[in-house]
mmCIF file of all heavy atoms in Angstrom:
data_model
loop_
_atom_site.group_PDB
_atom_site.id
_atom_site.type_symbol
_atom_site.label_atom_id
_atom_site.label_comp_id
_atom_site.label_asym_id
_atom_site.label_seq_id
_atom_site.Cartn_x
_atom_site.Cartn_y
_atom_site.Cartn_z
ATOM 1 N N LEU A 173 178.770 15.955 140.290
ATOM 2 C CA LEU A 173 179.423 17.157 140.810
ATOM 3 C C LEU A 173 179.218 18.338 139.873
ATOM 4 O O LEU A 173 178.921 19.457 140.304
ATOM 5 C CB LEU A 173 180.922 16.884 141.012
ATOM 6 C CG LEU A 173 181.296 15.980 142.191
ATOM 7 C CD1 LEU A 173 182.786 15.660 142.155
ATOM 8 C CD2 LEU A 173 180.938 16.646 143.505
ATOM 9 N N VAL A 174 179.361 18.083 138.568
ATOM 10 C CA VAL A 174 179.160 19.157 137.583
ATOM 11 C C VAL A 174 177.688 19.532 137.503
ATOM 12 O O VAL A 174 177.327 20.717 137.492
ATOM 13 C CB VAL A 174 179.694 18.712 136.206
ATOM 14 C CG1 VAL A 174 179.388 19.776 135.161
ATOM 15 C CG2 VAL A 174 181.191 18.448 136.273
ATOM 16 N N ALA A 175 176.824 18.507 137.444
ATOM 17 C CA ALA A 175 175.394 18.778 137.318
ATOM 18 C C ALA A 175 174.850 19.508 138.531
ATOM 19 O O ALA A 175 173.974 20.371 138.404
ATOM 20 C CB ALA A 175 174.639 17.459 137.116
ATOM 21 N N SER A 176 175.382 19.195 139.706
ATOM 22 C CA SER A 176 174.896 19.841 140.920
ATOM 23 C C SER A 176 175.191 21.329 140.923
ATOM 24 O O SER A 176 174.427 22.125 141.468
ATOM 25 C CB SER A 176 175.532 19.182 142.151
ATOM 26 O OG SER A 176 175.189 17.827 142.225
ATOM 27 N N ILE A 177 176.298 21.703 140.299
ATOM 28 C CA ILE A 177 176.632 23.127 140.224
ATOM 29 C C ILE A 177 175.545 23.873 139.466
ATOM 30 O O ILE A 177 175.065 24.933 139.896
ATOM 31 C CB ILE A 177 178.002 23.324 139.549
ATOM 32 C CG1 ILE A 177 179.107 22.714 140.434
ATOM 33 C CG2 ILE A 177 178.268 24.800 139.285
ATOM 34 C CD1 ILE A 177 180.482 22.743 139.800
ATOM 35 N N PHE A 178 175.126 23.318 138.318
ATOM 36 C CA PHE A 178 174.072 23.960 137.531
ATOM 37 C C PHE A 178 172.718 23.847 138.226
ATOM 38 O O PHE A 178 171.858 24.709 138.065
ATOM 39 C CB PHE A 178 174.003 23.332 136.138
ATOM 40 C CG PHE A 178 175.211 23.614 135.289
ATOM 41 C CD1 PHE A 178 176.247 22.704 135.193
ATOM 42 C CD2 PHE A 178 175.322 24.813 134.604
ATOM 43 C CE1 PHE A 178 177.363 22.963 134.417
ATOM 44 C CE2 PHE A 178 176.427 25.090 133.829
ATOM 45 C CZ PHE A 178 177.461 24.166 133.729
ATOM 46 N N LEU A 179 172.529 22.765 138.998
ATOM 47 C CA LEU A 179 171.268 22.592 139.699
ATOM 48 C C LEU A 179 171.109 23.595 140.830
ATOM 49 O O LEU A 179 170.024 24.145 141.052
ATOM 50 C CB LEU A 179 171.195 21.163 140.252
ATOM 51 C CG LEU A 179 169.944 20.788 141.053
ATOM 52 C CD1 LEU A 179 168.720 20.822 140.157
ATOM 53 C CD2 LEU A 179 170.105 19.422 141.686
ATOM 54 N N VAL A 180 172.195 23.838 141.542
ATOM 55 C CA VAL A 180 172.130 24.714 142.718
ATOM 56 C C VAL A 180 172.285 26.189 142.337
ATOM 57 O O VAL A 180 171.843 27.072 143.068
ATOM 58 C CB VAL A 180 173.212 24.289 143.735
ATOM 59 C CG1 VAL A 180 173.225 25.208 144.939
ATOM 60 C CG2 VAL A 180 172.997 22.853 144.172
ATOM 61 N N LYS A 181 172.864 26.456 141.180
ATOM 62 C CA LYS A 181 173.133 27.841 140.778
ATOM 63 C C LYS A 181 171.878 28.716 140.781
ATOM 64 O O LYS A 181 171.894 29.817 141.353
ATOM 65 C CB LYS A 181 173.802 27.850 139.402
ATOM 66 C CG LYS A 181 174.259 29.228 138.966
ATOM 67 C CD LYS A 181 175.001 29.155 137.641
ATOM 68 C CE LYS A 181 175.473 30.542 137.208
ATOM 69 N NZ LYS A 181 176.171 30.479 135.898
ATOM 70 N N PRO A 182 170.760 28.295 140.145
ATOM 71 C CA PRO A 182 169.568 29.153 140.190
ATOM 72 C C PRO A 182 169.024 29.341 141.598
ATOM 73 O O PRO A 182 168.468 30.401 141.910
ATOM 74 C CB PRO A 182 168.567 28.402 139.293
ATOM 75 C CG PRO A 182 169.066 27.014 139.201
ATOM 76 C CD PRO A 182 170.546 27.106 139.299
ATOM 77 N N ILE A 183 169.175 28.324 142.442
ATOM 78 C CA ILE A 183 168.695 28.466 143.822
ATOM 79 C C ILE A 183 169.528 29.508 144.564
ATOM 80 O O ILE A 183 169.003 30.291 145.363
ATOM 81 C CB ILE A 183 168.750 27.104 144.540
ATOM 82 C CG1 ILE A 183 167.836 26.103 143.813
ATOM 83 C CG2 ILE A 183 168.353 27.236 146.000
ATOM 84 C CD1 ILE A 183 167.834 24.725 144.414
ATOM 85 N N LYS A 184 170.829 29.533 144.293
ATOM 86 C CA LYS A 184 171.672 30.570 144.897
ATOM 87 C C LYS A 184 171.265 31.957 144.400
ATOM 88 O O LYS A 184 171.277 32.926 145.160
ATOM 89 C CB LYS A 184 173.137 30.292 144.568
ATOM 90 C CG LYS A 184 173.720 29.081 145.289
ATOM 91 C CD LYS A 184 175.207 28.908 144.983
ATOM 92 C CE LYS A 184 175.812 27.758 145.781
ATOM 93 N NZ LYS A 184 177.249 27.573 145.480
ATOM 94 N N LYS A 185 170.907 32.039 143.106
ATOM 95 C CA LYS A 185 170.432 33.321 142.570
ATOM 96 C C LYS A 185 169.169 33.769 143.298
ATOM 97 O O LYS A 185 169.010 34.947 143.643
ATOM 98 C CB LYS A 185 170.153 33.192 141.071
ATOM 99 C CG LYS A 185 171.387 33.189 140.193
ATOM 100 C CD LYS A 185 170.984 33.219 138.728
ATOM 101 C CE LYS A 185 172.210 33.292 137.819
ATOM 102 N NZ LYS A 185 171.807 33.344 136.380
ATOM 103 N N LEU A 186 168.245 32.814 143.509
ATOM 104 C CA LEU A 186 167.008 33.142 144.207
ATOM 105 C C LEU A 186 167.295 33.598 145.642
ATOM 106 O O LEU A 186 166.650 34.520 146.148
ATOM 107 C CB LEU A 186 166.082 31.927 144.224
ATOM 108 C CG LEU A 186 165.452 31.532 142.887
ATOM 109 C CD1 LEU A 186 164.703 30.215 143.028
ATOM 110 C CD2 LEU A 186 164.516 32.613 142.389
ATOM 111 N N THR A 187 168.270 32.966 146.280
ATOM 112 C CA THR A 187 168.621 33.348 147.649
ATOM 113 C C THR A 187 169.161 34.776 147.700
ATOM 114 O O THR A 187 168.772 35.579 148.553
ATOM 115 C CB THR A 187 169.664 32.367 148.214
ATOM 116 O OG1 THR A 187 169.149 31.030 148.150
ATOM 117 C CG2 THR A 187 169.998 32.715 149.657
ATOM 118 N N LYS A 188 170.069 35.094 146.758
ATOM 119 C CA LYS A 188 170.616 36.454 146.718
ATOM 120 C C LYS A 188 169.524 37.479 146.407
ATOM 121 O O LYS A 188 169.483 38.568 146.984
ATOM 122 C CB LYS A 188 171.722 36.529 145.669
ATOM 123 C CG LYS A 188 172.975 35.736 146.043
ATOM 124 C CD LYS A 188 174.044 35.858 144.956
ATOM 125 C CE LYS A 188 175.298 35.067 145.323
ATOM 126 N NZ LYS A 188 176.324 35.144 144.264
ATOM 127 N N ALA A 189 168.625 37.103 145.466
ATOM 128 C CA ALA A 189 167.539 38.020 145.105
ATOM 129 C C ALA A 189 166.618 38.261 146.298
ATOM 130 O O ALA A 189 166.148 39.383 146.518
ATOM 131 C CB ALA A 189 166.757 37.443 143.930
ATOM 132 N N THR A 190 166.366 37.210 147.077
ATOM 133 C CA THR A 190 165.507 37.355 148.252
ATOM 134 C C THR A 190 166.118 38.323 149.261
ATOM 135 O O THR A 190 165.417 39.157 149.856
ATOM 136 C CB THR A 190 165.296 35.977 148.919
ATOM 137 O OG1 THR A 190 164.744 35.076 147.963
ATOM 138 C CG2 THR A 190 164.359 36.085 150.102
ATOM 139 N N LYS A 191 167.433 38.216 149.456
ATOM 140 C CA LYS A 191 168.104 39.128 150.395
ATOM 141 C C LYS A 191 168.032 40.572 149.903
ATOM 142 O O LYS A 191 167.843 41.489 150.704
ATOM 143 C CB LYS A 191 169.557 38.692 150.568
ATOM 144 C CG LYS A 191 169.718 37.355 151.287
ATOM 145 C CD LYS A 191 171.182 36.969 151.430
ATOM 146 C CE LYS A 191 171.342 35.640 152.164
ATOM 147 N NZ LYS A 191 172.762 35.237 152.282
ATOM 148 N N ARG A 192 168.169 40.771 148.579
ATOM 149 C CA ARG A 192 168.086 42.138 148.046
ATOM 150 C C ARG A 192 166.675 42.695 148.181
ATOM 151 O O ARG A 192 166.486 43.872 148.498
ATOM 152 C CB ARG A 192 168.522 42.143 146.578
ATOM 153 C CG ARG A 192 170.014 41.881 146.390
ATOM 154 C CD ARG A 192 170.405 41.893 144.928
ATOM 155 N NE ARG A 192 170.119 43.171 144.291
ATOM 156 C CZ ARG A 192 170.327 43.427 143.010
ATOM 157 N NH1 ARG A 192 170.838 42.478 142.229
ATOM 158 N NH2 ARG A 192 170.045 44.618 142.502
ATOM 159 N N ILE A 193 165.672 41.838 147.952
ATOM 160 C CA ILE A 193 164.288 42.291 148.088
ATOM 161 C C ILE A 193 163.992 42.648 149.546
ATOM 162 O O ILE A 193 163.270 43.608 149.831
ATOM 163 C CB ILE A 193 163.326 41.198 147.586
ATOM 164 C CG1 ILE A 193 163.438 41.062 146.064
ATOM 165 C CG2 ILE A 193 161.884 41.515 147.968
ATOM 166 C CD1 ILE A 193 162.634 39.942 145.489
ATOM 167 N N ALA A 194 164.570 41.862 150.470
ATOM 168 C CA ALA A 194 164.353 42.139 151.891
ATOM 169 C C ALA A 194 164.875 43.510 152.288
ATOM 170 O O ALA A 194 164.360 44.128 153.230
ATOM 171 C CB ALA A 194 165.013 41.056 152.741
ATOM 172 N N THR A 195 165.889 44.021 151.572
ATOM 173 C CA THR A 195 166.425 45.359 151.863
ATOM 174 C C THR A 195 165.688 46.452 151.109
ATOM 175 O O THR A 195 166.037 47.625 151.226
ATOM 176 C CB THR A 195 167.919 45.409 151.485
ATOM 177 O OG1 THR A 195 168.068 45.151 150.074
ATOM 178 C CG2 THR A 195 168.703 44.360 152.264
ATOM 179 N N GLY A 196 164.660 46.055 150.306
ATOM 180 C CA GLY A 196 163.878 47.049 149.570
ATOM 181 C C GLY A 196 164.324 47.279 148.151
ATOM 182 O O GLY A 196 163.808 48.174 147.471
ATOM 183 N N ASP A 197 165.278 46.475 147.661
ATOM 184 C CA ASP A 197 165.760 46.608 146.286
ATOM 185 C C ASP A 197 164.994 45.640 145.394
ATOM 186 O O ASP A 197 165.183 44.424 145.465
ATOM 187 C CB ASP A 197 167.261 46.309 146.230
ATOM 188 C CG ASP A 197 167.820 46.464 144.816
ATOM 189 O OD1 ASP A 197 167.089 46.970 143.934
ATOM 190 O OD2 ASP A 197 168.982 46.084 144.589
#
Side-chain angles (χ1 to χ4, degrees):
L173 287 173
V174 175
S176 299
I177 295 175
F178 292 97
L179 179 65
V180 177
K181 186 176 181 181
I183 299 179
K184 289 183 176 179
K185 283 186 177 181
L186 289 173
T187 303
K188 291 180 180 178
T190 303
K191 292 180 179 179
R192 290 180 60 182
I193 290 175
T195 61
D197 181 9

